[in-house]
Amino acid sequence: MTTTLTWLGHAAFRVDTPGGKRIYVDPFLNGNPKCPESEVEPERVDAILITHGHGDHVGDTVALAGKFGATVVAPVELADWLQGKQGLENVLDPNKGGTVDVDGVRVTLTHAQHSSSNNDGDYTGEPCGLVVDPGDGPKLYFAGDTNVFGDMALVARLYSPDVAVLPIGGHYTMDPREAAVALELLGVSRCVPCHYGTFPVLTGTPAELRELAPGVEILEPQPGESIEL
Ligand code: NI
Ligand code: MN
Protein backbone atom coordinates (compact mmCIF):
# COMPACT_ATOMS: atom_id res chain seq x y z
CA MET A 1 0.00 0.00 0.00
CA THR A 2 1.25 3.42 -0.83
CA THR A 3 0.43 7.00 -0.08
CA THR A 4 -0.72 9.03 -3.05
CA LEU A 5 -0.06 12.74 -3.14
CA THR A 6 -2.02 14.86 -5.60
CA TRP A 7 -1.13 18.49 -6.20
CA LEU A 8 -4.15 20.74 -6.65
CA GLY A 9 -2.13 23.85 -7.47
CA HIS A 10 -0.66 26.45 -5.09
CA ALA A 11 -0.28 24.84 -1.62
CA ALA A 12 -3.33 22.59 -1.92
CA PHE A 13 -2.85 18.83 -1.84
CA ARG A 14 -4.87 15.69 -1.51
CA VAL A 15 -3.28 12.81 0.39
CA ASP A 16 -4.72 9.32 0.00
CA THR A 17 -3.27 7.18 2.77
CA PRO A 18 -2.50 3.46 2.76
CA GLY A 19 -5.37 3.11 5.24
CA GLY A 20 -7.80 4.57 2.73
CA LYS A 21 -8.23 8.02 4.25
CA ARG A 22 -8.60 11.01 1.97
CA ILE A 23 -7.02 14.11 3.47
CA TYR A 24 -6.91 17.61 2.02
CA VAL A 25 -4.12 19.98 3.02
CA ASP A 26 -4.69 23.75 2.67
CA PRO A 27 -7.68 23.20 0.35
CA PHE A 28 -7.70 26.42 -1.68
CA LEU A 29 -9.77 25.09 -4.60
CA ASN A 30 -12.40 27.68 -5.56
CA GLY A 31 -10.54 30.77 -6.77
CA ASN A 32 -7.24 28.91 -7.14
CA PRO A 33 -6.20 29.68 -10.71
CA LYS A 34 -4.14 26.47 -10.88
CA CYS A 35 -6.71 24.07 -9.44
CA PRO A 36 -7.99 21.84 -12.25
CA GLU A 37 -11.71 22.22 -12.92
CA SER A 38 -12.26 18.54 -12.10
CA GLU A 39 -10.80 19.00 -8.61
CA VAL A 40 -12.74 22.08 -7.47
CA GLU A 41 -15.64 20.02 -6.08
CA PRO A 42 -14.22 17.03 -4.15
CA GLU A 43 -16.31 13.88 -4.02
CA ARG A 44 -15.03 12.76 -0.64
CA VAL A 45 -13.14 14.41 2.23
CA ASP A 46 -12.26 12.59 5.45
CA ALA A 47 -10.00 15.23 6.99
CA ILE A 48 -8.65 18.70 6.31
CA LEU A 49 -5.33 19.99 7.63
CA ILE A 50 -4.63 23.74 7.59
CA THR A 51 -1.26 25.39 8.15
CA HIS A 52 -2.43 28.97 8.81
CA GLY A 53 -5.26 31.45 8.44
CA HIS A 54 -4.45 33.07 5.11
CA GLY A 55 -7.21 32.76 2.54
CA ASP A 56 -5.05 30.88 0.04
CA HIS A 57 -4.69 28.10 2.65
CA VAL A 58 -7.99 28.01 4.55
CA GLY A 59 -9.63 28.06 1.12
CA ASP A 60 -12.78 25.93 1.01
CA THR A 61 -12.32 24.41 4.46
CA VAL A 62 -15.60 25.66 5.93
CA ALA A 63 -17.76 24.50 3.02
CA LEU A 64 -16.01 21.14 2.67
CA ALA A 65 -15.99 20.33 6.38
CA GLY A 66 -19.69 21.21 6.56
CA LYS A 67 -20.59 19.15 3.52
CA PHE A 68 -18.58 16.03 4.36
CA GLY A 69 -18.41 16.18 8.16
CA ALA A 70 -14.63 16.02 7.81
CA THR A 71 -12.31 16.34 10.78
CA VAL A 72 -10.36 19.59 10.62
CA VAL A 73 -6.92 20.06 12.17
CA ALA A 74 -5.82 23.67 12.61
CA PRO A 75 -3.58 25.69 14.96
CA VAL A 76 -5.55 26.51 18.11
CA GLU A 77 -6.66 30.10 17.43
CA LEU A 78 -7.62 29.24 13.86
CA ALA A 79 -9.46 26.21 15.20
CA ASP A 80 -11.32 28.47 17.66
CA TRP A 81 -12.34 30.75 14.80
CA LEU A 82 -13.56 27.81 12.71
CA GLN A 83 -15.65 26.56 15.61
CA GLY A 84 -16.82 29.83 17.14
CA LYS A 85 -17.37 31.99 14.08
CA GLN A 86 -17.90 29.43 11.35
CA GLY A 87 -19.81 26.84 13.34
CA LEU A 88 -17.68 23.81 12.50
CA GLU A 89 -17.95 21.00 15.04
CA ASN A 90 -15.33 18.42 14.30
CA VAL A 91 -12.16 20.49 14.83
CA LEU A 92 -8.92 19.40 16.49
CA ASP A 93 -6.86 22.30 17.85
CA PRO A 94 -3.24 21.44 18.60
CA ASN A 95 -0.44 23.97 18.64
CA LYS A 96 3.23 23.64 17.69
CA GLY A 97 4.75 20.50 19.14
CA GLY A 98 1.37 18.85 19.50
CA THR A 99 0.34 15.67 17.71
CA VAL A 100 -3.20 14.58 17.01
CA ASP A 101 -4.48 11.28 15.68
CA VAL A 102 -6.96 11.46 12.85
CA ASP A 103 -8.28 7.95 12.17
CA GLY A 104 -4.79 6.49 12.55
CA VAL A 105 -2.98 9.29 10.73
CA ARG A 106 -0.70 11.22 13.06
CA VAL A 107 -0.42 14.95 12.44
CA THR A 108 2.16 17.09 14.24
CA LEU A 109 2.29 20.87 14.11
CA THR A 110 5.76 22.34 13.69
CA HIS A 111 7.21 25.81 13.67
CA ALA A 112 6.98 28.02 10.58
CA GLN A 113 8.12 31.61 10.09
CA HIS A 114 5.39 33.60 8.43
CA SER A 115 2.26 35.52 9.50
CA SER A 116 -1.35 34.52 9.97
CA SER A 117 -4.70 36.26 9.95
CA ASN A 118 -7.88 35.51 8.07
CA ASN A 119 -9.52 37.52 5.30
CA ASP A 120 -11.42 39.59 7.91
CA GLY A 121 -8.19 40.48 9.68
CA ASP A 122 -8.88 38.27 12.71
CA TYR A 123 -5.79 36.89 14.44
CA THR A 124 -5.61 33.18 13.69
CA GLY A 125 -2.60 32.12 15.74
CA GLU A 126 0.87 31.36 14.51
CA PRO A 127 1.46 29.77 11.13
CA CYS A 128 2.61 26.16 11.28
CA GLY A 129 4.12 23.36 9.31
CA LEU A 130 2.70 19.83 9.42
CA VAL A 131 4.30 16.43 9.71
CA VAL A 132 1.91 13.78 8.48
CA ASP A 133 2.59 10.15 9.38
CA PRO A 134 0.05 7.93 7.62
CA GLY A 135 1.11 5.04 9.86
CA ASP A 136 2.62 3.06 7.01
CA GLY A 137 5.20 4.19 4.46
CA PRO A 138 6.79 7.59 4.01
CA LYS A 139 6.20 10.53 6.32
CA LEU A 140 5.46 13.89 4.78
CA TYR A 141 6.49 17.34 5.95
CA PHE A 142 4.38 20.22 4.67
CA ALA A 143 6.42 23.30 5.54
CA GLY A 144 3.46 25.64 5.05
CA ASP A 145 4.28 29.23 4.15
CA THR A 146 7.69 29.97 5.64
CA ASN A 147 11.19 31.10 4.92
CA VAL A 148 14.01 28.70 5.70
CA PHE A 149 15.01 28.55 9.37
CA GLY A 150 17.68 26.62 11.23
CA ASP A 151 15.24 24.67 13.38
CA MET A 152 14.16 22.69 10.34
CA ALA A 153 17.01 20.52 11.61
CA LEU A 154 14.81 19.77 14.63
CA VAL A 155 12.00 18.64 12.37
CA ALA A 156 14.46 16.19 10.84
CA ARG A 157 15.79 15.06 14.21
CA LEU A 158 12.39 14.59 15.80
CA TYR A 159 10.18 13.35 12.98
CA SER A 160 12.48 12.12 10.17
CA PRO A 161 10.20 13.02 7.28
CA ASP A 162 10.88 11.26 3.98
CA VAL A 163 9.29 13.76 1.63
CA ALA A 164 9.32 17.55 2.04
CA VAL A 165 6.62 19.71 0.49
CA LEU A 166 8.18 23.16 0.31
CA PRO A 167 7.02 26.53 -1.00
CA ILE A 168 9.47 27.83 -3.60
CA GLY A 169 7.72 30.79 -5.24
CA GLY A 170 9.48 33.47 -3.20
CA HIS A 171 7.97 36.87 -2.31
CA TYR A 172 5.66 35.55 0.46
CA THR A 173 7.75 32.47 1.27
CA MET A 174 11.13 30.94 0.60
CA ASP A 175 12.46 30.77 -2.92
CA PRO A 176 14.59 28.00 -4.49
CA ARG A 177 17.78 29.33 -2.90
CA GLU A 178 16.30 29.07 0.59
CA ALA A 179 14.50 25.83 -0.24
CA ALA A 180 17.83 24.21 -1.16
CA VAL A 181 19.15 25.00 2.33
CA ALA A 182 15.89 23.74 3.84
CA LEU A 183 16.45 20.42 2.07
CA GLU A 184 19.94 20.20 3.56
CA LEU A 185 18.55 20.80 7.05
CA LEU A 186 15.72 18.33 6.55
CA GLY A 187 17.90 15.59 5.09
CA VAL A 188 15.09 14.32 2.88
CA SER A 189 15.69 12.49 -0.38
CA ARG A 190 12.55 13.75 -2.11
CA CYS A 191 10.88 17.14 -2.41
CA VAL A 192 7.61 18.31 -3.89
CA PRO A 193 7.75 22.07 -4.52
CA CYS A 194 4.58 24.17 -4.27
CA HIS A 195 3.37 27.77 -3.81
CA TYR A 196 4.90 28.77 -7.16
CA GLY A 197 3.44 29.81 -10.48
CA THR A 198 -0.01 30.59 -9.07
CA PHE A 199 0.41 34.35 -9.29
CA PRO A 200 2.99 36.41 -11.21
CA VAL A 201 5.03 37.29 -8.10
CA LEU A 202 5.63 33.60 -7.26
CA THR A 203 8.50 33.20 -9.69
CA GLY A 204 10.60 30.34 -8.27
CA THR A 205 10.73 27.16 -10.33
CA PRO A 206 11.46 23.48 -9.68
CA ALA A 207 14.24 23.67 -12.29
CA GLU A 208 16.06 26.29 -10.22
CA LEU A 209 15.69 24.18 -7.09
CA ARG A 210 16.93 21.08 -8.92
CA GLU A 211 20.10 22.94 -9.88
CA LEU A 212 20.69 24.08 -6.30
CA ALA A 213 19.87 20.75 -4.62
CA PRO A 214 21.54 18.11 -6.80
CA GLY A 215 21.30 15.32 -4.23
CA VAL A 216 17.55 15.54 -3.83
CA GLU A 217 14.89 14.19 -6.17
CA ILE A 218 12.74 17.21 -7.02
CA LEU A 219 9.36 15.86 -8.07
CA GLU A 220 7.32 18.06 -10.34
CA PRO A 221 3.70 17.00 -10.61
CA GLN A 222 1.41 19.17 -12.69
CA PRO A 223 -1.74 20.44 -10.98
CA GLY A 224 -4.12 17.51 -10.81
CA GLU A 225 -1.33 14.97 -11.16
CA SER A 226 -0.82 12.27 -8.53
CA ILE A 227 2.46 10.82 -7.26
CA GLU A 228 2.83 7.47 -5.57
CA LEU A 229 5.18 7.92 -2.62
NI1 NI B 1 0.44 32.69 3.94
MN1 MN C 1 0.25 31.36 0.99
Side-chain angles (χ1 to χ4, degrees), residues 10 51-57 114-117 127 144-146 172-173 195:
H10 202 54
T51 57
H52 64 295
H54 288 159
D56 59 319
H57 296 259
H114 189 61
S115 55
S116 184
S117 60
D145 283 2
T146 186
Y172 299 118
T173 70
H195 215 280

Side-chain angles (χ1 to χ4, degrees), residues 72-140:
V72 178
V73 179
V76 59
E77 289 86 356
L78 178 55
D80 285 348
W81 176 79
L82 289 168
Q83 293 174 105
K85 295 219 170 139
Q86 302 297 320
L88 294 187
E89 287 176 1
N90 199 7
V91 183
L92 301 176
D93 67 345
N95 210 333
K96 295 175 190 180
T99 300
V100 293
D101 187 298
V102 185
D103 297 331
V105 177
R106 289 170 66 77
V107 179
T108 302
L109 265 56
T110 69
H111 185 56
Q113 294 202 146
H114 189 61
S115 55
S116 184
S117 60
N118 66 15
N119 288 347
D120 299 330
D122 296 326
Y123 173 71
T124 50
E126 294 222 352
C128 293
L130 304 163
V131 177
V132 178
D133 179 359
D136 188 13
K139 285 179 275 185
L140 294 88

